């Protein structure tokens, strides 16, 4: 067995079914790869969907659900630790690997080396994307993401696999990337290993919910402060802090009956919030619904984002702002 493809999932059988179809259509020797689907907890619907593929003897398709929800990092670890392949390829359940994906990985990932490869990710978005679509499209320029990467099993063992403290789909791929770098494991960029990552439909105001993930920035910063500042975020979110500061000044002014200070704070807060909203709307969809979403969420995001950053700093005991 040359390659094991590990696909973490959780209660998204329709998306997973599309991914499995693409993996079964690989132009690669079916005797030379297996597919391990790891559900992040009990998942009867996914089990039922995978039963529809029971007639396929090759490639081998295995389902390994975790007994309880622990996050995609734990799911990927469970997959590669039970893999028969010498090369471990990772993709996500909402992705569509190109039919030559595995053959391109095999060309550049040699089993006698500690090596990793990262492929090309295509994110199709509309001509007038939403803010959410535009954010997802940044995956196309990421250095290393688990939607499209592979490592020799020996490289994963040397690096220590995924840190399961990253229990949401956020920064666990950056953590593995930095581990590989710190262990002097070369990472090859292979533009011919292609995975398409369609943008899933998002609910109105999804950007507020997404802020919770930023608590894991503190953990990544604690582990790799220099690499974090170099590759993730060069400085703290100054605009967010400025918005919060002038909002506090406004409250102090009005509470203390200092109308001048209160009005100055209000005007500055409105100006900075308008600027933040404008930045998010630039190059995005200018429909009434989307503009309203950006206006409402731009008022909330600075406060909720800084809250989760400080929550992460306290949880992981690191001076991170």
């Amino acid at each position: 067995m040359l390659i094991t493809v590990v696909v973490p999932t959780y209660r998204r059988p329709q998306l997973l079914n599309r991914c499995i179809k693409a993996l079964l259509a690989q132009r690669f020797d079916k005797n030379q790869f297996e597919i391990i689907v790891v559900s992040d907890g009990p998942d009867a619907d996914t089990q039922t969907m995978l039963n529809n593929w029971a007639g396929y003897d090759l490639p081998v398709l295995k389902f390994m659900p975790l007994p309880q929800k622990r996050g995609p990092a734990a799911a990927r670890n469970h997959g590669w630790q039970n893999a028969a392949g010498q090369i471990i390829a990772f993709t996500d359940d909402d992705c569509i690997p190109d039919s030559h994906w595995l053959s391109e990985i095999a060309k550049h990932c040699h089993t006698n080396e500690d090596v990793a490869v990262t492929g090309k990710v295509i994110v199709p978005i509309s001509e007038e994307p939403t803010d959410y679509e535009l954010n997802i499209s940044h995956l196309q320029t990421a250095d290393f993401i688990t939607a499209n990467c592979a490592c020799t099993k020996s490289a994963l063992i040397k690096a220590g696999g995924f840190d399961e403290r990253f229990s949401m789909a956020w920064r666990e791929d950056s953590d593995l990337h930095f581990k590989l770098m710190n262990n002097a494991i070369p990472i090859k960029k292979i533009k011919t290993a292609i995975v398409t990552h369609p943008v899933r439909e998002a609910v109105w105001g999804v950007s507020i919910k997404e802020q919770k993930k930023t608590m894991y920035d503190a953990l990544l910063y604690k582990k790799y402060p220099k690499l974090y500042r170099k590759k993730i975020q060069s400085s703290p979110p100054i605009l967010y802090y400025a918005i919060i500061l002038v909002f506090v000044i406004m409250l102090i002014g009005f509470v203390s009956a200092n109308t001048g200070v209160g009005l100055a704070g209000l005007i500055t807060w409105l100006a900075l919030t308008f600027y933040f909203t404008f930045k998010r709307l630039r190059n995005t969809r200018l429909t009434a619904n989307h503009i309203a979403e950006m206006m409402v969420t731009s008022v909330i995001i600075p406060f909720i984002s800084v809250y989760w950053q400080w929550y992460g700093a306290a949880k992981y005991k690191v001076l991170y702002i």
Side-chain angles (χ1 to χ4, degrees), residues 122-141:
I122 298 173
V123 181
I125 60 174
S126 55
E127 291 185 6
E128 295 183 340
T130 63
D131 172 70
Y132 179 74
E133 286 180 289
L134 202 60
N135 286 336
I136 297 297
S137 71
H138 293 157
L139 294 175
Q140 296 178 127
T141 56

Side-chain angles (χ1 to χ4, degrees), residues 8-303:
T9 190
Y10 188 63
R11 296 183 178 178
R12 299 198 295 207
Q14 291 182 335
L15 293 174
L16 176 64
N17 190 54
R18 184 182 65 185
C19 179
I20 296 296
K21 285 181 180 179
L23 291 173
L24 293 175
Q26 290 295 299
R27 296 183 181 181
F28 191 73
D29 187 347
K30 300 297 190 290
N31 292 284
Q32 288 296 300
F33 78 97
E34 64 176 355
I35 304 165
I36 296 180
V37 175
V38 185
S39 176
D40 183 20
D43 192 343
D45 289 341
T46 295
Q47 176 71 79
T48 300
M49 185 277 292
L50 290 173
N51 287 341
N52 296 329
W53 299 105
Y56 280 78
D57 295 325
L58 294 171
V60 175
L61 177 58
K62 301 176 182 176
F63 182 53
M64 298 182 177
L66 295 175
Q68 61 186 16
K69 190 168 177 59
R70 293 165 50 199
R76 293 190 186 99
N77 278 342
H78 187 62
W80 77 261
Q81 289 165 358
N82 287 280
Q86 300 173 72
I87 299 168
I88 313 298
F90 296 102
T91 192
D92 295 331
D93 61 1
D94 55 352
C95 292
I96 308 170
D98 177 78
S99 59
H100 296 281
W101 182 57
L102 289 182
S103 60
E104 292 300 317
I105 286 174
K107 284 180 187 178
H108 299 93
C109 201
H110 303 134
T111 58
N112 60 342
E113 301 175 356
D114 293 335
V115 65
V117 300
T118 178
K120 180 179 179 180
V121 175
I122 298 173
V123 181
I125 60 174
S126 55
E127 291 185 6
E128 295 183 340
T130 63
D131 172 70
Y132 179 74
E133 286 180 289
L134 202 60
N135 286 336
I136 297 297
S137 71
H138 293 157
L139 294 175
Q140 296 178 127
T141 56
D143 284 345
F144 186 93
I145 58 171
T146 45
N148 185 1
C149 70
C151 307
T152 53
K153 197 168 187 179
S154 61
L156 276 171
I157 292 170
K158 185 175 181 179
F162 293 89
D163 186 336
E164 297 182 11
R165 288 178 293 177
F166 294 90
S167 57
M168 296 177 71
W170 188 254
R171 300 304 188 207
E172 80 284 4
D173 43 7
S174 297
D175 178 73
L176 178 61
H177 182 202
F178 294 169
K179 281 184 178 180
L180 293 169
M181 293 175 66
N182 281 358
N183 282 278
I185 296 171
I187 303 170
K188 303 177 183 178
K189 292 192 175 184
I190 311 300
K191 293 184 178 180
T192 50
I194 301 169
V195 164
T196 300
H197 191 309
V199 179
R200 302 193 306 273
E201 288 189 16
V203 298
W204 199 92
V206 64
S207 53
I208 295 174
K209 182 180 178 181
E210 292 285 293
Q211 300 308 310
K212 183 176 181 179
K213 296 178 179 179
T214 59
M215 67 176 168
Y216 295 106
D217 288 354
L219 175 57
L220 189 65
Y221 176 81
K222 180 177 182 177
K223 296 180 70 176
Y224 313 98
K226 291 182 179 179
L227 282 173
Y228 182 90
R229 288 302 183 201
K230 180 179 179 181
K231 292 187 170 291
I232 305 295
Q233 189 179 48
S234 59
S235 62
I238 296 172
L239 178 59
Y240 288 3
Y241 284 112
I243 289 172
I244 294 170
L245 176 62
V246 295
F247 185 82
V248 171
I249 290 173
M250 176 192 71
L251 290 180
I252 292 172
F254 286 133
V255 169
S256 64
N258 190 329
T259 306
V261 171
L263 286 174
L266 175 61
I267 292 169
T268 308
W269 175 70
L270 288 173
L272 290 177
T273 302
F274 176 82
Y275 171 69
F276 179 43
T277 307
F278 174 78
K279 280 184 61 179
R280 297 177 68 205
L281 281 170
R282 189 173 50 193
N283 302 320
T284 66
R285 187 175 303 168
L286 297 179
T287 61
N289 184 61
H290 188 245
I291 291 172
E293 181 182 6
M294 292 301 97
M295 291 175 66
V296 172
T297 56
S298 294
V299 170
I300 299 170
I301 283 175
F303 298 90

